[in-house]
Amino acid sequence: MTVVYVDLLWLLNFVANHLLLLGAGRLAGAGLCRWRIALGSALGAMYAVALFLPVLGWLAALPCKLAVAVLMVVCAYGGEVRLWRVLGMFFAASAALAGAVLGFEWLGNTSLTLRSGVLYTQLDLRLLLVVFLTCYFVFSLLLRRLGAHTGSALVHMELTFPQRVVSMTALHDTGLTLADPVTNRPVVVAYWRDFSWLLPPGADVSHPIECARLCHDQGVHGVRLVPYRAVGVEGGMLLAYPTQGVRVNGRSMGSLLLALSPTPVNDGGAYQGLFGGM
């Protein structure tokens, strides 16, 4: 008979869930909130423990597993624009982890799972912690390299509007010179579809002057036009909205403008916005 230690069972599954949720969020380009990711990881770990309680054996059913997985992702990334993409990445990462564990069991002639695929092993806890910390470091390094850009970095950004607060991952590119012509402060650029709720019906950001006029006619205040230059564009305009505040990795940047791009600004989904300077 296998003796299961609840603390070790919970810890192993918490760390595994944390890595899966973190990786899914970064690969999907979602904003990362550490305490929410930890909350989702803890929920999954408690589910793993609950599976071994005699009165809760029904939790091992496939619908229950899927429901808990969705709930974990919602806990970690609920409210994100790309929640469905995060959910898909989470399932893909979970499948990859299951394959890796299965391969390790075949090659090492040892078991890393119990019933229902729950992670568990009798290896020394200190050794496991070292292994998981090493895997976490390597995993984080690979993800940073995946989203790496020269002179740039991916950051968590929160934009506050009267209607709502939006969280997203943004690329801070020091080579980007787009700035507010009035204050000379950096301008955040994002794809207009992610902020379509800001626009009145019928607005077309590909025609910024007409769009700005329509916004003013329909009582949308504070809309501005920001000039920009790019490859193949000598003198263009972007429709921009004022924010009530912008926070980058928890640090307040004050009230920056949000410029709406008519074309996507992301790089394969790694981020949803970009800004420069600073």
Side-chain angles (χ1 to χ4, degrees):
M1 180 179 67
T2 302
V3 178
V4 178
Y5 295 94
V6 172
D7 53 351
L8 181 56
L9 176 67
W10 187 92
L11 178 61
L12 286 175
N13 286 274
F14 174 82
V15 175
N17 293 333
H18 194 279
L19 289 173
L20 291 172
L21 287 171
L22 177 64
R26 286 190 171 177
L27 291 175
L32 303 178
C33 182
R34 300 288 179 172
W35 71 266
R36 291 186 61 181
I37 293 175
L39 179 62
S41 304
L43 174 64
M46 288 189 292
Y47 169 73
V49 173
L51 287 175
F52 291 88
L53 299 179
V55 295
L56 297 178
W58 54 271
L59 288 174
L62 181 60
C64 294
K65 290 184 178 181
L66 294 176
V68 171
V70 172
L71 188 57
M72 288 169 58
V73 174
V74 171
C75 284
Y77 297 101
E80 284 290 334
V81 174
R82 302 176 184 273
L83 179 61
W84 287 106
R85 176 176 288 186
V86 177
L87 184 60
M89 290 292 182
F90 178 75
F91 280 121
S94 299
L97 176 62
V101 169
L102 181 61
F104 186 86
E105 289 179 337
W106 282 351
L107 294 175
N109 194 27
T110 186
S111 177
L112 294 177
T113 58
L114 295 174
R115 64 183 182 184
S116 302
V118 175
L119 284 175
Y120 190 79
T121 179
Q122 296 286 1
L123 294 177
D124 183 77
L125 179 58
R126 290 171 295 181
L127 176 60
L128 284 173
L129 286 176
V130 172
V131 171
F132 270 122
L133 287 174
T134 302
C135 290
Y136 183 85
F137 173 78
V138 173
F139 187 67
S140 299
L141 182 62
L142 288 175
L143 288 173
R144 290 192 184 99
R145 293 292 299 272
L146 183 64
H149 294 260
T150 303
S152 63
L154 294 177
V155 298
H156 177 256
M157 178 177 287
E158 290 185 354
L159 301 94
T160 302
F161 299 92
Q163 302 93 325
R164 66 181 73 172
V165 177
V166 177
S167 297
M168 67 179 185
T169 299
L171 176 69
H172 181 204
D173 188 347
T174 55
L176 181 64
T177 59
L178 185 66
D180 183 345
V182 176
T183 64
N184 200 37
R185 301 204 66 207
V187 173
V188 180
V189 183
Y191 187 32
W192 74 272
R193 288 190 182 276
D194 292 336
F195 293 88
S196 58
W197 48 272
L198 285 171
L199 298 168
D204 184 358
V205 297
S206 61
H207 302 287
I209 296 177
E210 292 81 357
C211 189
R213 186 179 296 115
L214 178 62
C215 290
H216 286 298
D217 291 342
Q218 297 196 18
V220 181
H221 303 293
V223 176
R224 306 257 295 275
L225 293 175
V226 176
Y228 76 97
R229 297 179 62 184
V231 178
V233 181
E234 284 298 323
M237 292 283 184
L238 292 176
L239 186 74
Y241 278 78
T243 66
Q244 292 183 326
V246 174
R247 300 183 70 87
V248 176
N249 288 340
R251 182 166 64 98
S252 176
M253 309 304 299
S255 300
L256 303 181
L257 288 178
L258 169 68
L260 301 181
S261 170
T263 58
V265 301
N266 59 19
D267 183 13
Y271 53 88
Q272 297 82 56
L274 52 89
F275 71 111
M278 303 168 59

